[in-house]
Amino acid sequence: MTWDWGVVSDFMPSFWDGLWVTLRALLFGSLIAFGLGLVWALAQRSRHAWVRWPVNAVTEFIRNTPLLVQLFFLFYVLPEWGPSWSPLVTGVIGLGLHYSTYTAEVYRAGIDGVPVGQWEAATALSMPRVRTWTAIILPQAIRRVVPALGNYVIAMLKDSPMIAMIGALDMLGEARTFSNNTFTSETYLVVGVAFIVIAYPASLLIRALERRLARTS
């Protein structure tokens, strides 16, 4: 195959459109995953079985079914019952919901890692339960799990091309459309390099953050 820079030049406008879709899906999907994951983790520690059991069942179901199946369900099946969203919004919700079940486990591990003495001290001081969580437990737990949460952001980035299957053209979706229309393949290498350029510095940042937290803990 002969490399054609003209093809790359023609593809770049579509590439920037796809990059913007990828970054939005990653940003908002991460926000949903982090927020909802914390809700799942707290609900799983509820004193009430009627809260714990449904949450455990839902998170296990989501965690053990493929992301692509979930995206198809949200985009093609769910609208028959009511809610209907654009491909990008559906992709964001699907990514966030799927990864929230993994971040819930990360939060759970962080909460379990808080020394028992912290709970006992809060009890001895008669601190309200909400105050115990917000002022003592969660700050320590979240500090412990920041690097792991960052790793899931990178994992979400690598899974983001799946949203193209429901019409949200991310970088890979734009590359595939352009390649099919022009019978070229340079676009795939451009997208592959773009993923490396985004993911590798992010992984270095996470490692640096992990070392920093380890030194200050």
Side-chain angles (χ1 to χ4, degrees), residues 37 125 170 190:
L125 294 172
D170 69 322
V190 171

Side-chain angles (χ1 to χ4, degrees), residues 67 70-71 74 89-99:
L67 172 59
Q70 295 167 17
L71 290 173
L74 291 173
V89 172
T90 303
V92 167
I93 293 173
L95 285 170
L97 182 61
H98 184 79
Y99 275 92

